Amino acid sequence: MYVTCLDLEGVLVPEIWIAFAEETGIEELRLTTRDIPDYDVLMNKRIGILKEHGLGLKAIQETIAKIDPLPGAKEFLTELRKTCQVIILSDTFTQFAAPLMEKLGLPTIFCNELVVGDDDMITGFKMRQDNGKYHAIKALQSIGFKTIASGDSFNDLAMIKQAEKGFLFRAPEHIIKDNSDVKAFTEYSELLAAVKDQIAKDN
């Protein structure tokens, strides 16, 4: 039995921090794991910027409320869930993800938690575990599942390469170039067909 594991931002929904950067005009907040591979470095940088500008969780959530899934994402996810079990593996946070999950039809998501003070300021973050996407794939394999994984960023590569089959989806050119052994797609129809093809090979 297969489980398909997908990244969230850039694959199913727009990048939250880029949307917030556009809302606030703070260019430094446009940086994502496509730019900075070390997630701890990236998040600590973001928290510092938020503190500098006096921006708390509520301001980010107001931006998230305006974000819709990428065109075709919900339909793709609905069709994929008819084919196999699906889990979204994301380095985002429960405080960000909840409204987006509703718009996607409430799929299962494994993500992390923000530490927020009484003043609404984000003071830190709690990762479920280091390299959580990779370990989720390993855990699924350890209980007898075969896995397919897809994402677009540096922090997706470990799960993509650990899975029985992995694909890049709408990844930037430098990641595609550096990982030429991984098939890369830009359309949901291509990714869905590739997942179905992999599952069919084992039936």
Side-chain angles (χ1 to χ4, degrees), residues 28-82:
E28 277 187 295
L29 288 175
R30 295 183 67 88
L31 295 172
T32 71
T33 49
R34 291 177 169 202
D35 309 296
I36 299 176
D38 189 317
Y39 193 73
D40 284 355
V41 170
L42 178 61
M43 271 307 300
N44 283 314
K45 183 178 181 67
R46 288 166 171 168
I47 290 170
I49 294 168
L50 294 176
K51 183 177 180 180
E52 179 186 340
H53 290 271
L55 294 166
L57 175 61
K58 185 178 178 181
I60 302 173
Q61 289 177 325
E62 287 173 352
T63 296
I64 292 170
K66 304 173 189 175
I67 294 175
D68 288 321
L70 293 167
K74 185 177 181 181
E75 295 78 7
F76 159 74
L77 197 55
T78 298
E79 190 63 28
L80 182 61
R81 291 167 78 182
K82 294 176 184 177

Side-chain angles (χ1 to χ4, degrees), residues 89 130-139 141 155 158-159 162:
L89 302 180
D130 290 338
N131 206 1
K133 297 181 181 186
Y134 165 80
H135 287 294
I137 294 287
K138 287 276 288 183
Q141 291 169 332
N155 65 332
M159 75 165 179
Q162 176 60 34

Side-chain angles (χ1 to χ4, degrees), residues 88-127:
I88 296 174
L89 302 180
S90 176
D91 282 336
T92 193
F93 306 96
T94 55
Q95 295 95 329
F96 291 178
L100 297 171
M101 293 305 98
E102 287 191 24
K103 292 179 180 181
L104 285 169
L106 295 175
T108 299
I109 182 170
F110 295 169
C111 58
N112 305 300
E113 292 277 345
L114 289 169
V115 180
V116 184
D118 293 338
D119 59 357
D120 189 54
M121 296 303 292
I122 297 169
T123 59
F125 55 98
K126 295 178 181 178
M127 303 297 284

